Amino acid sequence: MGDTSEIRIGDTEREKVLNELGEHFAAGRIDMSEFEQRSSAAGAARYQSELDALLTDLPRKGQLVRKDAVAIWPASQADLVPVSNHRPLIPIALVGVVAVVIAILLLLAL
């Protein structure tokens, strides 16, 4: 099979990335402005490579990150913790509302 990064994606893949961006926003890894920019790009994405580019600098679920989140060089195993799957309710709800508004605006722009 060929390069999977050039596979066209649908709403399910976009929604998955929007949810992941929301979790990173809630965790403080990206600010509101960056969340809005990346969410808008996710909503407009047509290919998997476009979605992948939005997450390359963010930890993925199951990856280990430093407790203090400022590692520049490899840390010892003792300083690593798994990326949390815990979702705070209020920030995620806010992210969901923002994502829906962005999706509606994108649809209206078509």
Side-chain angles (χ1 to χ4, degrees), residues 5-34:
S5 64
E6 293 307 316
I7 292 177
R8 292 183 74 90
I9 49 97
D11 292 337
T12 302
E13 292 84 6
R14 289 183 199 95
E15 184 178 329
K16 208 169 148 182
V17 169
L18 286 170
N19 287 335
E20 196 164 338
L21 288 171
E23 290 175 17
H24 290 297
F25 171 70
R29 292 185 191 99
I30 56 176
D31 62 21
M32 179 58 96
S33 174
E34 192 169 7

Side-chain angles (χ1 to χ4, degrees), residues 18 56 66-67 89 105:
L18 286 170
T56 57
R66 286 186 56 86
K67 292 176 189 172
L89 296 178
L105 291 174

Side-chain angles (χ1 to χ4, degrees), residues 48-108:
Q48 186 62 48
S49 60
E50 295 171 293
L51 292 180
D52 293 342
L54 299 173
L55 301 170
T56 57
D57 62 336
L58 298 169
R60 304 303 292 262
K61 285 185 181 178
Q63 279 185 320
L64 297 177
V65 295
R66 286 186 56 86
K67 292 176 189 172
D68 57 8
V70 293
I72 297 173
W73 51 84
S76 71
Q77 286 289 19
D79 291 334
L80 299 176
V81 293
V83 174
S84 174
N85 291 333
H86 164 44
R87 297 179 181 193
L89 296 178
I90 293 176
I92 295 299
L94 174 63
V95 168
V97 170
V98 171
V100 168
V101 169
I102 290 171
I104 291 171
L105 291 174
L106 287 171
L107 288 173
L108 292 175

